Amino acid sequence: MAGRLRYFKEQNGHYYTRIAVPKELQPFIGKTQLQESLGSERKAAERLHHSAVAKFQADMSAARRQAAQVGAVSATRSQFPLTVEQIALSHYQHRLSFDEQLRGDERYASVGFDDRHVERLKLGIAGQLADDDLQQLVGLSVRRYQSAGNHDASYGSPEWRQIARALCAAEYEALARAAERDDGDFSGQPAHPLLVNATMPEPALPPVSIETLFADYITSRQALGKHLDGGANWIRVITSLTKFLGHKDARKITKRRLLDWRDHLLNSGLAPRTVADVYLACIRAILAWAHENDRLATNEAALVKQETPKKRQTRERGYTTDEAVALLTASLRHQPPAAKTASTQESKHITAARRWVPLLLAFTGARVVEITQLRQEDVRQDGDRWTIRITPDAGSVKTGEYRDVPLHRQVVDLGFTEFVKQAASGPLFHRAKRSDGYLSAARTTAGRVSDWLQKRGLVPEGVQPSHGWRHRFKTLGRELGMSDRVIDAIQGHAGRTAGDGYGDVTLVAKIRVIDALPEYDLGLPGLEPADHQAVG
């Protein structure tokens, strides 16, 4: 895709943004092309490219406006609209600038003023001239501002007369300054209210691409060990927003339009919680980062929220003992269904995941993706003790830090470590070959395990298929009187108080909690060696 980027050039291993300047704009830009070096690393160059294009397009838009004002190019009607006051101020400033240029000739200051012209300007200001008289007096200037795209008033209309009268005022004030300058006074200021109160519009700022902000935000998070999947879950959010807005310029985003987008999402059938926790959360995070890093002047999403109905809690959030036993028994006894063709055959990685992932969740309280991303080398033996290392190197960890979790004796007795010994190095529960694909593949496996359990009726209503184990693990630990801090360390939860940051939770402390967990009565004293199918 990057090779097809418009204006993206590569030369001798170096990347550039390069745009040709139209011939009619070259006198105003002073160049035949605009070029910016993007460095020699392609991915970084692609990120910088979008901003460079936006900047160059803004430069050419400003040049086109200048060209239109002097008649070098034609502008569409009202392409660059100005108020009557701004048209008057522009004309006044233009006349004073021209006066300054003429004073390079010593003869200019000795030329007098046409008193009749001055009187006609006064009549024009007062509105006492007919349309034809105004046309003779300032008609060329009215047309010049129309050609520049500053207004679309038709001859003889009330709007046209208002602009003509304003130009009479600007011309009269400019003549007054010229007369003062002839006497050596260059301090004069206009007195007419049209000019006193007028301000010219701020130069148009270059657009800020929503997609570029998203990419840069994800890059900043990845530097902190977060969003290692490249923000895959948020891509649909960015697509939805830009499609709804009809543009990709973050500068044009307003709170009102975001509220309209929120209502559109709700009317499209999305649940309030999905809108709040996925769509709005994504845009708030990106725009907040952009505002904090001076990429945007405001964060228009700061106060855009969606209320969500409180979840009804009709039972405990974790599995009961009977539910846990039924699920684990079915999981450990899983055999892949007979396949008619190779394409419909269940992969060994999925078979392994359906067998072992629920058991590992039950005895570690880990997040499901932290388990489905495990690699063979993450399961370790130190003396007679087995542990698993949950590490960002295998995909993603919410805290960004690795942690070691001791394996319960029943996990070992049921044959998990024998399965690991026979497995090839690399992921145990998915087939991704490259590390940048681990997280996505682990999420896919997690989803397939959850779907499989639900289809078999093993997940009670009100319990999340995988998260239910985290709740149960916490509950069991408290029933056993174990330290919440040690339980948090095993599960990867952040400490709740400043005091939790002092001291270390050692492997010995974790082993004490893991070993205290009771075994499940599964009627499976151990799996036969044939059930320890290796994956590779």
Side-chain angles (χ1 to χ4, degrees):
M1 182 182 81
R4 296 192 295 272
L5 285 175
R6 195 177 184 190
Y7 310 126
F8 190 74
K9 309 295 180 183
E10 187 269 337
Q11 186 175 354
N12 299 326
H14 205 88
Y15 297 96
Y16 301 87
T17 298
R18 186 181 301 153
I19 298 180
V21 178
K23 187 174 181 179
E24 66 271 17
L25 299 184
Q26 291 175 9
F28 301 90
I29 290 181
K31 298 178 180 178
T32 59
Q33 67 178 18
L34 296 173
Q35 178 172 299
E36 183 167 318
S37 173
L38 304 175
S40 56
E41 204 282 306
R42 185 175 186 111
K43 287 187 177 180
E46 289 175 1
R47 290 196 298 270
L48 295 171
H49 173 67
H50 300 290
S51 297
V53 170
K55 176 180 177 295
F56 289 162
Q57 289 177 338
D59 290 343
M60 284 200 280
S61 178
R64 185 170 296 278
R65 183 168 185 163
Q66 287 180 300
Q69 288 179 339
V70 298
V73 299
S74 60
T76 58
R77 292 169 70 86
S78 214
Q79 183 179 0
F80 308 111
L82 294 178
T83 65
V84 173
E85 291 83 1
Q86 289 169 341
I87 289 174
L89 180 59
S90 173
H91 186 73
Y92 174 77
Q93 293 173 340
H94 174 74
R95 294 293 289 156
L96 288 189
S97 176
F98 187 50
D99 175 82
E100 184 63 34
Q101 293 178 31
L102 292 177
R103 290 184 186 276
D105 187 332
E106 71 277 6
R107 296 169 295 178
Y108 170 69
S110 62
V111 177
F113 295 95
D114 183 346
D115 292 337
R116 186 171 176 274
H117 179 67
V118 173
E119 289 302 317
R120 283 168 58 79
L121 289 174
K122 288 181 180 180
L123 292 174
I125 295 170
Q128 296 178 17
L129 293 181
D131 292 345
D132 287 347
D133 294 327
L134 285 173
Q135 175 71 9
Q136 291 179 0
L137 193 60
V138 293
L140 287 176
S141 296
V142 175
R143 282 200 300 274
R144 181 166 65 86
Y145 283 100
Q146 187 179 51
S147 298
N150 302 141
H151 73 86
D152 58 0
S154 58
Y155 171 77
S157 67
E159 293 80 9
W160 183 89
R161 285 189 59 85
Q162 187 180 20
I163 293 169
R165 289 178 55 216
L167 289 170
C168 287
E171 183 74 15
Y172 180 84
E173 288 281 2
L175 289 175
R177 300 292 86 72
E180 293 166 355
R181 291 178 174 187
D182 287 347
D183 294 332
D185 181 5
F186 283 76
S187 63
Q189 297 295 324
H192 197 286
L194 273 176
L195 300 174
V196 171
N197 300 320
T199 56
M200 294 303 293
E202 292 291 329
L205 294 172
V208 175
S209 166
I210 298 172
E211 293 172 341
T212 299
L213 284 184
F214 171 61
D216 292 348
Y217 169 80
I218 293 299
T219 299
S220 74
R221 299 301 93 184
Q222 289 178 330
L224 302 176
K226 302 177 181 180
H227 283 298
L228 298 182
D229 64 343
N233 285 346
W234 282 2
I235 292 175
R236 71 182 190 273
V237 178
I238 302 302
T239 301
S240 170
L241 179 60
T242 55
K243 183 178 179 181
F244 177 80
L245 294 175
H247 65 79
K248 298 182 179 182
D249 186 0
R251 291 194 196 277
K252 295 180 180 179
I253 293 177
T254 64
K255 178 184 175 184
R256 178 66 264 167
R257 289 298 283 157
L258 289 176
L259 289 170
D260 292 341
W261 175 56
R262 177 201 65 186
D263 295 343
H264 166 75
L265 294 172
L266 293 171
N267 293 333
S268 299
L270 288 180
R273 188 166 297 279
T274 301
V275 173
D277 295 348
V278 179
Y279 285 77
L280 295 183
C282 164
I283 298 304
R284 268 200 307 273
I286 294 169
L287 296 191
W289 174 84
H291 177 51
E292 291 165 3
N293 288 275
D294 291 336
R295 303 282 288 274
L296 293 175
T298 62
N299 175 12
E300 294 295 310
L303 299 178
V304 179
K305 299 178 182 179
Q306 171 59 45
E307 292 184 344
T308 58
K310 187 175 181 180
K311 286 186 177 180
R312 294 181 60 203
Q313 191 73 33
T314 59
R315 55 154 293 158
E316 57 270 70
R317 288 176 290 181
Y319 293 101
T320 65
T321 299
D322 288 344
E323 292 164 349
V325 168
L327 192 156
L328 292 175
T329 300
S331 175
L332 287 163
R333 285 177 172 166
H334 171 65
Q335 294 292 334
K340 295 181 179 180
T341 63
S343 62
T344 60
Q345 184 176 1
E346 181 178 284
S347 74
K348 292 183 178 180
H349 292 84
I350 295 300
T351 299
R354 288 173 175 173
R355 281 188 184 157
W356 298 115
V357 168
L359 183 68
L360 292 171
L361 293 175
F363 282 111
T364 64
R367 300 172 183 87
V368 62
V369 174
E370 293 176 338
I371 297 301
T372 57
Q373 72 187 20
L374 280 177
R375 302 166 300 176
Q376 193 264 359
E377 53 267 37
D378 297 327
V379 185
R380 308 175 180 197
Q381 184 178 22
D382 185 6
D384 62 351
R385 195 78 210 193
W386 286 89
T387 63
I388 60 172
R389 171 159 290 186
I390 297 172
T391 170
D393 291 341
S396 177
V397 178
K398 192 169 184 179
T399 61
E401 299 177 354
Y402 83 89
R403 67 183 189 275
D404 289 329
V405 180
L407 286 180
H408 190 273
R409 58 187 175 277
Q410 191 171 17
V411 175
V412 177
D413 291 345
L414 287 169
F416 175 67
T417 54
E418 292 302 316
F419 157 73
V420 172
K421 289 177 183 177
Q422 295 179 38
S425 62
L428 294 171
F429 304 124
H430 64 79
R431 293 188 292 186
K433 301 299 182 183
R434 291 164 46 112
S435 59
D436 57 3
Y438 282 176
L439 181 56
S440 177
R443 283 177 170 163
T444 298
T445 295
R448 293 186 65 177
V449 171
S450 295
D451 291 344
W452 174 73
L453 291 172
Q454 288 176 310
K455 287 178 180 177
R456 295 202 59 183
L458 295 169
V459 182
E461 186 176 352
V463 176
Q464 294 177 286
S466 301
H467 221 64
W469 292 114
R470 281 173 72 75
H471 288 293
R472 177 172 175 80
F473 189 90
K474 189 83 73 178
T475 299
L476 286 176
R478 288 169 178 166
E479 288 179 350
L480 294 169
M482 296 298 176
S483 163
D484 262 4
R485 188 184 174 199
V486 178
I487 297 171
D488 285 344
I490 293 172
Q491 293 191 275
H493 276 137
R496 301 181 188 97
T497 67
D500 286 345
Y502 289 84
D504 297 315
V505 177
T506 64
L507 191 61
V508 171
K510 294 177 183 178
I511 288 173
R512 188 175 295 115
V513 171
I514 295 297
D515 286 352
L517 296 175
E519 295 185 7
Y520 290 96
D521 184 8
L522 304 175
L524 298 168
L527 297 181
E528 296 299 321
D531 289 334
H532 302 153
Q533 295 185 46
V535 296

